């Protein structure tokens, strides 16, 4: 019996905890003539343990992170300042299960993605 309990405990300890990646895409405004230049700023978002984490690199300025519910109502937000690179976290533990939209607003671009709680 002790071997079974030890084995089950080892499985729990060794099982990896994985974050769910949120696919965020930059909202593009159509250009009239001229070449489009890619942004050097990199934005990535993950959802794990009821916390949304946004990682930003190659950017200095203000960051606004909003979470919208399925009706388009803001149900969570945070504002932060990044210098070079950094992360912004948003606790979503008070939100019920459902589909949500993540919106990340930088000084020079807006990114959005969807996730499920």
């Amino acid at each position: 019996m002790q071997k079974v309990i030890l084995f089950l405990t080892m499985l729990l300890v060794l099982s990896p905890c994985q974050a769910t990646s949120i696919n965020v895409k930059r909202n593009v405004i159509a250009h009239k003539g001229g070449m489009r230049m890619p942004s050097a700023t990199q934005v990535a978002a993950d959802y794990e343990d009821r916390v949304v984490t946004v990682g930003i690199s190659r950017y200095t300025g203000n960051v606004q992170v909003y979470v919208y519910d399925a009706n388009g109502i803001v149900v969570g937000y945070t504002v932060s300042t990044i210098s070079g690179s950094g992360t912004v976290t948003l606790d979503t533990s008070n939100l019920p299960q459902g589909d949500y939209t993540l919106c990340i607003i930088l000084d020079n671009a807006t990114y959005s993605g969807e996730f499920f709680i």
Side-chain angles (χ1 to χ4, degrees), residues 46-58:
D46 290 317
Y47 174 74
E48 180 179 20
D49 293 332
R50 313 268 308 167
V51 174
V52 173
T53 303
V54 178
I56 301 171
S57 60
R58 298 184 192 144

Side-chain angles (χ1 to χ4, degrees), residues 23-99:
N23 184 16
V24 290
K25 294 183 179 181
R26 183 175 180 184
N27 298 340
V28 179
I29 298 172
H31 291 275
K32 295 181 180 177
M35 292 178 45
R36 289 185 3 194
M37 297 299 293
S39 172
T41 303
Q42 294 180 342
V43 177
D46 290 317
Y47 174 74
E48 180 179 20
D49 293 332
R50 313 268 308 167
V51 174
V52 173
T53 303
V54 178
I56 301 171
S57 60
R58 298 184 192 144
Y59 174 76
T60 297
N62 293 322
V63 179
Q64 301 172 47
V65 178
Y66 294 91
V67 173
Y68 295 90
D69 66 7
N71 298 319
I73 298 171
V74 176
V75 292
Y77 72 94
T78 187
V79 178
S80 187
T81 302
I82 299 289
S83 180
S85 65
T87 59
V88 178
T89 59
L90 181 63
D91 181 20
T92 61
S93 61
N94 61 335
L95 300 178
Q97 283 189 341
D99 291 317

